[in-house]
Amino acid sequence: MVAQVRHPIWLPAARAPGARTFAILFTLESFARASVASVIPIQAYELLRSEQSVSLTYTVVALLGLSATILMPLAIQRFARRRVYTAGVLLLGLGSLCLVTGTLAGQLGGMLARVIGASALSITLNLYIMDHIRKTQFIQSESLRMAWSTIAWMCGPTLGVTLYSQFGLWAAHGAVAIFAAILLCFFWYFRLSDNIAIRPGKTKPANPLANIGRFLAQPRLRLAWFIAFGRSCFWTSFFVYAPLLMVVTGQGSLAGGLIVSAGNALLFTALLWGRLGARFGARRTMAVAFAGMAVGLTVTAAAGEASPWVAGAFLLVTAFFGVALDALGSVVFMRAVRSHERAQMTAVYRTYLDLSELMPPLVYSIVLIFFGLGGVFASLAILMAVCAVVTWHYLPRRI
């Protein structure tokens, strides 16, 4: 009798995950999201024919997505991170499948699926980063992650709008499915392991409402959330209202895609902002960035619909300062959160993105009753000024 021995020579030893691993995953995820970032608001406007209705649509979707984000730790405890991450990727594809229907129901369902998918990907990826990257390397890792995603956010919106304009919905959203499939292959190739401290178990999961209370009881976490909320309010507004500004003023959908791509191209400066943060301190750098954004948005509001290209130019100036918050903002949370609470606190922290997609459109829908699109940017400038003051006065010098 001959013994049968299997030698798993086809499975090479996986390298320890590092900053480049997460940069690759985030870049692929960014391609899947950025390729229709400018298409979705234009698609919504063509269905609804009203800037105010588009704002209300985003408000409803963000409100529903917020509930999913709060409950995400329960899913991670029940199914493990790798499965939640996989589900997030699949939801991006499902969202595009809904959006190609060209109906209002499909628009709402597709936007919601993308929001929930993005939430799952963001939370699980942040947990993997905090498991595998040292705290002293967070600034370097985050700036590298943002810099690598530059090409996705630079080319994606223009690619999506071009496909949409030339070939229709199927072409634009088909690109999302391709990028999502590539992302899923790379994720399983890297074989990231779950932290045993938060793997599925038999203990009863913590109450999501208790997680919120625990989060609010920690001043450093509250501050990290507010900084991230301010940063995200700008980017969510930029992705929606920069294309709308171009379309409403007759410049065309392609012009809107180009503005968004140009703003995203500035992500390559994340490495520069990372060095400035290490040299002058995260507090000083982020406060200056928020102040610069407030000034840029004020000029944008003054130009408004009367001078759309001037407004677009200063939106790009604002985006340059916004990249500083992308490079440094998450570091505040990553250094403040306790290791045994990462899953629960990351889910609560991630609500900044849901609320930044909920609150601004709600405010803008009221502002747009009395003012034009310039009022949107003026409202955002006020928030950025408040963020600058809060960051300067309350963020510790050593962060």
Side-chain angles (χ1 to χ4, degrees):
M1 181 176 179
V2 179
Q4 299 294 325
V5 179
R6 294 184 179 181
H7 301 284
I9 58 175
W10 55 271
L11 186 62
R15 294 181 178 180
R20 291 185 179 182
T21 302
F22 304 115
I24 290 171
L25 292 176
F26 185 68
T27 299
L28 291 170
E29 176 196 337
S30 297
F31 266 113
R33 294 169 54 199
S35 56
V36 288
S38 298
V39 172
I40 292 176
I42 293 172
Q43 187 178 345
Y45 181 75
E46 290 180 349
L47 280 171
L48 300 169
R49 286 300 180 193
S50 166
E51 300 101 312
Q52 188 176 5
S53 297
V54 172
S55 293
L56 289 174
T57 299
Y58 273 87
T59 300
V60 171
V61 170
L63 184 61
L64 295 173
L66 177 62
S67 302
T69 297
I70 294 296
L71 295 174
M72 201 61 67
L74 301 182
I76 293 173
Q77 290 179 343
R78 176 65 178 83
F79 300 107
R81 265 187 277 168
R82 63 173 66 91
R83 293 183 180 178
V84 175
Y85 189 97
T86 300
V89 178
L90 295 177
L91 281 170
L92 293 183
L94 177 62
S96 285
L97 186 62
C98 293
L99 287 163
V100 296
T101 63
T103 63
L104 182 58
Q107 185 78 20
L108 290 170
M111 291 171 65
L112 181 60
R114 284 178 59 84
V115 166
I116 297 175
S119 174
L121 292 173
S122 175
I123 291 173
T124 49
L125 188 64
N126 276 324
L127 289 174
Y128 283 127
I129 290 172
M130 287 186 284
D131 281 349
H132 297 286
I133 303 296
R134 295 179 180 177
K135 287 188 175 182
T136 56
Q137 297 177 333
F138 280 154
I139 290 180
Q140 178 185 359
S141 173
E142 288 300 284
S143 58
L144 180 68
R145 186 161 66 104
M146 293 301 150
W148 276 40
S149 67
T150 298
I151 189 171
W153 291 106
M154 179 176 65
C155 301
T158 301
L159 171 65
V161 170
T162 301
L163 290 173
Y164 176 55
S165 301
Q166 299 296 323
F167 305 104
L169 287 173
W170 280 101
H173 291 290
V176 175
I178 293 172
F179 288 126
I182 296 172
L183 170 61
L184 197 58
C185 290
F186 268 89
F187 172 72
W188 283 98
Y189 170 77
F190 288 138
R191 301 195 299 280
L192 298 178
S193 60
D194 286 14
N195 187 322
I196 60 173
I198 57 173
R199 67 184 178 183
K202 298 181 179 180
T203 57
K204 185 177 180 180
N207 187 329
L209 295 179
N211 294 337
I212 297 175
R214 178 61 183 157
F215 188 97
L216 294 175
Q218 301 180 59
R220 189 76 62 83
L221 294 184
R222 296 199 306 266
L223 181 58
W225 186 95
F226 184 71
I227 291 172
F229 173 75
R231 174 195 76 191
S232 189
C233 280
F234 167 72
W235 287 114
T236 54
S237 301
F238 180 75
F239 286 133
V240 175
Y241 294 96
L244 278 182
L245 177 66
M246 294 295 115
V247 172
V248 169
T249 57
Q251 310 307 310
S253 58
L254 183 58
L258 289 172
I259 289 288
V260 173
S261 291
N264 290 327
L266 294 170
L267 281 170
F268 79 90
T269 63
L271 293 174
L272 169 64
W273 285 113
R275 293 191 183 98
L276 291 174
R279 172 67 178 83
F280 298 103
R283 184 192 72 142
R284 184 181 301 176
T285 306
M286 288 192 288
V288 169
F290 273 126
M293 294 173 75
V295 173
L297 286 166
T298 300
V299 179
T300 300
E305 297 175 47
S307 303
W309 287 107
V310 174
F314 276 91
L315 274 176
L316 295 182
V317 173
T318 308
F320 169 70
F321 288 104
V323 174
L325 283 308
D326 285 338
L328 303 173
S330 298
V331 174
V332 181
F333 170 76
M334 290 180 175
R335 288 183 175 174
V337 67
R338 295 180 172 90
S339 58
H340 67 281
E341 294 181 321
R342 284 176 178 172
Q344 296 83 0
M345 296 302 102
T346 300
V348 179
Y349 173 71
R350 175 55 176 66
T351 60
Y352 78 81
L353 188 53
D354 298 287
L355 285 174
S356 70
E357 293 176 347
L358 170 65
M359 298 303 295
L362 183 61
V363 173
Y364 299 156
S365 64
I366 298 173
V367 170
L368 287 167
I369 297 175
F370 305 99
F371 306 99
L373 285 173
V376 168
F377 301 117
S379 303
L380 194 57
I382 295 172
L383 176 61
M384 296 303 103
V386 172
C387 289
V389 173
V390 170
T391 300
W392 181 261
H393 283 282
Y394 294 104
L395 191 64
R397 292 179 182 272
R398 295 182 179 179
I399 188 68

